[in-house]
């Protein structure tokens, strides 16, 4: 099937493989009487992904190439550039235009999106469930509202509501368990730690400061 990328599935639906992606371009302009026309356009997302299943096991790997050094402003970590520029005598000669921008290869990690594998065994089913209980481990959204976990492909507007962006956690490394009921209800619980998307790649000794449980 080529309608949603390259999709291949076995006749018994027990094995499947898909390669796909998306490109989202965002732009706009405004007329300013004093300074003339001002506009800007950029890539919101350039994503390549693969996902599939092997009997009870499933996986998904997704990377966003639109993420770059410029997008990592205010990354408050030790690998960020210094605020000031110094001359040969050690005196401050100016401000570093790359202050708080990532200067090493770590910013490449920020392009990681959904990267997890899991299991959904038919033996973990019930008459009250639409699907069997599933378990995931890897980089994934925390269970924090439907708006947070909805893909940008299916949102009604370009952006999520401001309240969601202000309160929602991003994807984090962790483990989770979830289920979907036949009456339209669902439940998820997980434990999470550092987030490549948030650029909080701290040493292992500080990982505990970011551990949290999402329900």
């Amino acid at each position: 099937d080529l309608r949603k990328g390259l999709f291949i599935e076995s006749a018994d639906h027990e094995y499947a493989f898909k390669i796909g992606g998306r490109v989202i371009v965002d732009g706009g302009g405004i007329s300013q009487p004093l300074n003339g026309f001002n506009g800007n356009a950029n890539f919101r997302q350039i994503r390549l992904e693969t996902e599939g299943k092997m009997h009870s096991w499933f996986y998904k790997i997704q990377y966003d190439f639109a993420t770059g050094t410029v997008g990592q402003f205010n990354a408050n970590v030790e690998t960020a550039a210094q605020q000031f520029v110094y001359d040969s005598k050690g005196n401050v000669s100016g401000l570093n235009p790359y202050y708080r921008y990532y200067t090493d290869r770590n910013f490449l990690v920020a392009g990681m999106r959904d990267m997890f594998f899991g299991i959904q065994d038919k033996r973990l089913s019930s008459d009250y469930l639409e699907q069997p209980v599933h378990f995931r481990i890897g980089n994934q959204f925390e269970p924090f509202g439907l708006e947070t976990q909805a893909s940008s492909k299916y949102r009604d507007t370009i952006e999520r509501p401001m309240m969601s962006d202000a309160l929602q956690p991003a994807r984090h490394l962790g483990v989770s368990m979830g289920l979907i009921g036949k009456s339209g209800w669902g439940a998820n619980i997980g434990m999470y730690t550092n987030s490549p998307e948030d650029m909080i790649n701290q040493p292992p000794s500080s990982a505990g400061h970011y551990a949290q449980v999402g329900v």
Side-chain angles (χ1 to χ4, degrees), residues 72-91:
Q72 307 314 314
F73 189 70
N74 280 332
N76 188 19
V77 292
E78 295 179 354
T79 53
Q82 298 297 318
Q83 180 178 6
F84 302 105
V85 177
Y86 300 89
D87 57 22
S88 59
K89 297 181 180 180
N91 299 319

Side-chain angles (χ1 to χ4, degrees), residues 91-113:
N91 299 319
V92 176
S93 59
L95 293 175
N96 188 344
Y98 298 102
Y99 173 57
R100 292 185 181 229
Y101 283 68
Y102 257 64
T103 57
D104 61 12
R105 67 182 183 277
N106 285 335
F107 77 87
L108 295 174
V109 182
M112 293 175 57
R113 292 298 181 260

